[in-house]
Amino acid sequence: MEEKLRALALRYEDLEAQLADPAVYTDAEKLKRVNQELKELAPVAQAAQAWQRVTQARAEAEALLHDPDFRELAQEEWEQAKAEQERLREQIRLLLLPKDPNDGRGVIMEIRGGVGGEEGALFAASLLRMYTMYAQSRGWKMETVSMNATELGGVKECSVLVEGEGVYSRLKFESGVHRVQRVPETESGGRIHTSAATVAVLPEAEEVECEIDPKDLQIDTYRASGAGGQHVNKTESAIRITHLPTGLVVECQDERSQYKNKDKAMRVLRSRLYEMEQARQAAATAAQRKSQVGSGDRSERIRTYNFPQGRVTDHRIGLTLYKIDAIMDGDLDELIDALVTADQAEKLRSGAEDASE
């Protein structure tokens, strides 16, 4: 561990030296990469410095244990340094875990009403509201790409862009089937119904990572539907892009500008193609383990929202919280923190198993 820390500390110093070089500022792409790597390494560099200080303090206290005049004080300092070392050791083990290269990205989030008809669509709308409020609480930017709403205010399907600090690292655990148990607004007899909605979270791909040949695209324009008055009736601003090799279809009609709709649709298409390639690579790597939590299978039931009992249960980690109103208002941190911790624990376990083989 100490050898790896030294190597990372040297890399951090090298990056700081690069940042002091005026020539780096003439290359915007390189400057971006250096700043990004510095940001990622900063917690490790700080932990490495703390480790060096506490290791030295423990060694100095140990040297004084044989001096009768300082033995009692030295023993106390030695024990404090030892406890701090153990704390730092666990912190550093987590910091040195392999990073998901997508964690710093924005995401394309797709929500669809599932089983349950109109109630499934209404629940999908509730999930969209929940994620919107969560994004607001974290200072993230959220934009609608496409929206297929029902007359009662439900959501048949929608796509949204979410951008900000560490978006994918927090939202990647939300992919899967979300089940709800409640008395629907459409139920006159007061009976509890079970319905569901599906959530897919795709890391947003950069243009350079997912090059698309224009010849592979069929781009159609059409008149947007829904609210918009005369604009909707007269302007063909909505965009439908079909990726011919894969058959993927992306639509966007949220903006009044055809250009903006095309830009958003291309961002969604790139992200879907990027996800497909990642899935292909993961499947081709036979030795790769599937984590306990993972990023979530879209067909897997991951969470149940039981309104009559006021509880939310995440089935992947067996966590139940009796705060459904707060969660539906976007208070997701306790749930997501638990999922992050479970994912880290699984990676530590897997790393220990690999080391013993």
Side-chain angles (χ1 to χ4, degrees), residues 213-232:
D213 189 337
K215 296 176 184 176
D216 291 337
L217 300 178
Q218 177 182 314
I219 301 177
D220 301 306
T221 61
Y222 60 99
R223 293 181 182 178
S225 60
Q230 292 182 349
H231 164 77
V232 169

Side-chain angles (χ1 to χ4, degrees), residues 138-269:
R138 296 192 71 89
W140 295 339
K141 180 183 177 183
M142 196 177 217
E143 291 182 74
T144 302
V145 176
S146 63
M147 176 74 67
N148 186 353
T150 68
E151 291 182 0
L152 295 180
V155 171
K156 290 181 180 178
E157 58 182 356
C158 72
S159 294
V160 293
L161 288 165
V162 191
E163 297 175 307
E165 183 73 26
V167 172
Y168 185 75
S169 69
R170 303 293 291 175
L171 292 182
K172 63 182 176 181
F173 301 107
E174 297 302 299
S175 287
V177 176
H178 295 243
R179 185 178 69 165
V180 64
Q181 294 171 322
R182 66 182 178 183
V183 178
E185 295 176 27
T186 53
E187 169 61 52
S188 58
R191 292 173 299 174
I192 297 171
H193 286 224
T194 297
S195 57
T198 60
V199 175
V201 178
L202 317 178
E204 187 176 6
E206 301 287 342
E207 287 188 50
V208 292
E209 296 171 318
C210 189
E211 294 184 9
I212 300 174
D213 189 337
K215 296 176 184 176
D216 291 337
L217 300 178
Q218 177 182 314
I219 301 177
D220 301 306
T221 61
Y222 60 99
R223 293 181 182 178
S225 60
Q230 292 182 349
H231 164 77
V232 169
N233 298 324
K234 295 182 178 180
T235 310
E236 291 196 346
S237 59
I239 291 286
R240 180 186 297 110
I241 300 178
T242 304
H243 186 246
L244 300 174
T246 61
L248 285 175
V249 178
V250 178
E251 296 180 350
C252 183
Q253 62 173 11
D254 190 60
E255 299 286 350
R256 289 176 177 264
S257 160
Q258 187 181 108
Y259 173 79
K260 289 181 179 179
N261 280 329
K262 182 181 176 182
D263 179 61
K264 282 187 177 180
M266 286 298 296
R267 290 169 73 178
V268 174
L269 179 60

Side-chain angles (χ1 to χ4, degrees), residues 20-34:
D21 182 359
V24 173
Y25 290 84
T26 63
D27 186 338
E29 190 59 36
K30 184 175 182 180
L31 179 63
K32 180 182 175 182
R33 289 198 306 270
V34 170

Side-chain angles (χ1 to χ4, degrees), residues 22 70 129 271 329:
F70 296 98
R129 175 182 177 274
S271 297
D329 283 342

Side-chain angles (χ1 to χ4, degrees), residues 3 6 41 62 88 136 184 210 276 289 296-297 328 331 347 351:
E3 184 178 338
R6 281 194 292 271
L41 285 179
E62 194 166 350
L88 283 170
Q136 290 171 349
C210 189
M276 287 174 65
R289 285 192 177 95
D297 186 323
M328 297 310 294
D331 185 5
K347 287 176 180 175

Side-chain angles (χ1 to χ4, degrees), residues 43-106:
V44 182
Q46 292 165 5
Q49 292 171 357
W51 176 266
Q52 289 175 345
R53 288 195 300 269
V54 75
T55 300
Q56 183 179 347
R58 183 175 176 180
E60 291 172 354
E62 194 166 350
L64 290 173
L65 286 174
H66 306 291
D67 188 326
D69 295 331
F70 296 98
R71 184 180 297 131
E72 187 175 340
L73 179 61
Q75 180 68 33
E76 183 180 342
E77 291 181 351
W78 183 85
E79 289 175 357
Q80 288 177 351
K82 181 184 177 184
E84 180 64 7
Q85 264 191 327
E86 290 303 313
R87 187 192 69 79
L88 283 170
R89 189 189 304 276
E90 288 306 306
Q91 179 185 342
I92 290 168
R93 284 179 69 199
L94 291 176
L95 288 171
L96 294 180
L97 283 174
K99 294 286 189 295
D100 185 331
N102 294 321
D103 275 353
R105 298 176 187 266

